[in-house]
Amino acid sequence: MMMNKSLFLTYLYLLIYILLSSGVILYNKWVLSPKYFNFPFPITLTMIHMGFSGAVAFFLVRVFKVVTPVKMTFEIYATCVVPISAFFASSLWFGNTAYLHISVAFIQMLKALMPVATLIMAVLCGTDKLRWDVLSNMLLVSVGVVISSYGEIHFNVIGTLYQVTGIFAEALRLVLTQVLLQKKGLTLNPITSLYYIAPCSFAFLFVPWYLLEKSNMEVSQIQFNFWIFFSNALCALALNLSIFLVIGRTGAVTIRVAGVLKDWILIALSTVIFPESAITGLNIIGYAIALCGVVMYNYIKVRDVKASSQIPPESSIIPERMTNDDDNTRSSSAVDEEAPLMASSRLSHIARSQLTSRDA
């Protein structure tokens, strides 16, 4: 009975994650699109998300004391939190701007490039090595995305560049999170992560907002609807927190499968909700090819993790190291594309990227 209840909760959390992730993306598209709510200011929308998330995290940490803040020195904040926040803000800015130019379905297809971008950044930063088996899968993913792009009816160069730039910014953020925070021995759960990084991301977004959107907002006829923006920001925050529940109950493989399932559901829903975002057979063929590369890459990473977990029996210090590693995995496993969370060493880059980081 306990097993059935545990399994039920696992599937329930996965369902909540898929619904929230898909809902936030579709909601953002609806808000930003000139054809619908007509609020074509992606930086402003992103700042609303960061400001709301930061404020909620502040109350949870400082007022209600739900979680205890970590020991954050000025040196750690300046060298770790600031650069991570900068790339996090950039990924959200560019990713949300892409909604103005290309369809949700095509954006999800382009997101298949995330493992390619993350691998490139990891190799450049020295956290991963380039291997021929991995490289062949990345080439397969890239070819699939190119075919999918060629089949896009409403292909837009500007929107594609925005989305690809956002993907690489997110990939660099993921690698920096692993390199900088893990070296400092700092672990952040979803709430403390938002507490430290959301305000800093808000500050980074202020400069491009002032230069690019402030003047346009003053001259345009905008009807501000409090409940629209409040519910939108609330959904983005709920998605961030739902990731903690999902990863706490499932493994990396389940998360990857859920991410792929969510992408297919989202592509199908977007074509129904937004009729102008029609997809072609070439779109589907290209995306299927890209997913084949992603699945093969997942298999390699899972195999590598299993191989690295094999314990030599002659080692006398393994039990203690295993215990410490398991503790670290549990305390730092809450990772997602949305929130700048501490990356677990046992989750591959693709596992972290599958949890849709730019849905917010």
Side-chain angles (χ1 to χ4, degrees):
M1 192 68 173
M2 289 299 294
M3 181 63 69
N4 292 336
K5 181 179 179 181
S6 177
L7 191 63
F8 171 77
L9 288 176
T10 298
Y11 283 116
L12 177 62
Y13 292 156
L14 283 171
L15 178 62
I16 292 174
Y17 156 70
I18 292 175
L19 291 176
L20 284 173
S21 182
S22 302
V24 167
I25 292 175
L26 295 172
Y27 203 168
N28 286 350
K29 174 67 175 180
W30 182 82
V31 170
L32 293 169
S33 177
K35 293 183 179 181
Y36 299 97
F37 187 72
N38 192 22
F39 186 78
F41 302 104
I43 305 177
T44 304
L45 184 65
T46 308
M47 289 178 68
I48 292 174
H49 289 174
M50 291 296 96
F52 181 78
S53 298
V56 171
F58 175 82
F59 278 99
L60 292 177
V61 173
R62 293 298 182 184
V63 179
F64 299 106
K65 301 187 185 301
V66 175
V67 295
T68 304
V70 301
K71 185 178 181 181
M72 181 69 67
T73 64
F74 177 79
E75 186 265 340
I76 293 178
Y77 192 87
T79 60
C80 297
V81 174
V82 170
I84 290 172
S85 299
F87 286 105
F88 182 58
S90 300
S91 69
L92 293 175
W93 166 20
F94 293 128
N96 282 336
T97 303
Y99 288 123
L100 298 177
H101 305 281
I102 54 180
S103 67
V104 171
F106 187 48
I107 285 176
Q108 294 307 118
M109 295 177 188
L110 288 175
K111 284 183 179 181
L113 283 173
M114 177 58 76
V116 179
T118 310
L119 178 65
I120 292 173
M121 293 303 175
V123 171
L124 292 177
C125 293
T127 62
D128 207 344
K129 294 181 180 180
L130 194 60
R131 294 157 37 187
W132 286 112
D133 55 350
V134 174
L135 181 60
S136 62
N137 291 327
M138 296 301 95
L139 290 175
L140 185 62
V141 172
S142 301
V143 169
V145 172
V146 169
I147 294 175
S148 181
S149 301
Y150 184 78
E152 176 64 17
I153 298 177
H154 306 292
F155 182 81
N156 183 284
V157 176
I158 296 177
T160 302
L161 288 176
Y162 268 118
Q163 182 60 37
V164 172
T165 303
I167 288 172
F168 274 89
E170 172 65 9
L172 186 54
R173 193 271 295 180
L174 286 172
V175 175
L176 284 178
T177 300
Q178 183 182 32
V179 172
L180 298 178
L181 292 186
Q182 282 188 348
K183 282 188 176 181
K184 301 293 184 181
L186 190 66
T187 58
L188 300 176
N189 62 43
I191 298 176
T192 55
S193 177
L194 291 175
Y195 174 74
Y196 290 109
I197 296 181
C200 191
S201 297
F202 181 94
F204 272 107
L205 290 167
F206 181 82
V207 175
W209 172 81
Y210 186 84
L211 297 175
L212 300 176
E213 291 188 0
K214 181 177 181 295
S215 58
N216 293 330
M217 293 181 69
E218 291 175 349
V219 298
S220 62
Q221 300 295 323
I222 301 175
Q223 293 183 353
F224 185 85
N225 188 313
F226 171 80
W227 293 110
I228 291 292
F229 291 104
F230 175 75
S231 60
N232 182 258
L234 188 63
C235 288
L237 176 65
L239 174 59
N240 280 297
L241 298 180
S242 73
I243 302 301
F244 179 74
L245 297 176
V246 171
I247 300 184
R249 301 192 66 91
T250 61
V253 176
T254 306
I255 292 168
R256 294 188 187 99
V257 173
V260 172
L261 178 62
K262 182 214 68 175
D263 288 341
W264 281 110
I265 293 175
L266 194 51
I267 290 173
L269 282 177
S270 66
T271 59
V272 175
I273 298 175
F274 307 111
E276 70 277 5
S277 61
I279 58 177
T280 65
L282 204 56
N283 278 143
I284 297 175
I285 292 172
Y287 187 54
I289 293 173
L291 282 185
C292 287
V294 171
V295 171
M296 293 170 64
Y297 178 62
N298 284 340
Y299 171 76
I300 292 174
K301 285 299 181 181
V302 171
R303 184 189 63 190
D304 291 346
V305 169
K306 289 183 178 179
S308 64
S309 64
Q310 296 299 318
I311 313 299
E314 65 272 14
S315 176
S316 60
I317 62 171
I318 287 300
E320 180 181 354
R321 292 178 61 186
M322 281 188 63
T323 303
N324 291 338
D325 186 54
D326 289 341
D327 290 341
N328 290 335
T329 301
R330 284 191 293 268
S331 63
S332 64
S333 60
V335 187
D336 109 87
E337 272 185 277
E338 291 300 326
L341 308 179
M342 180 61 187
S344 168
S345 60
R346 288 195 174 181
L347 290 180
S348 68
H349 296 303
I350 182 73
R352 294 192 292 272
S353 61
Q354 283 291 356
L355 288 178
T356 131
S357 172
R358 276 174 313 283
D359 301 344

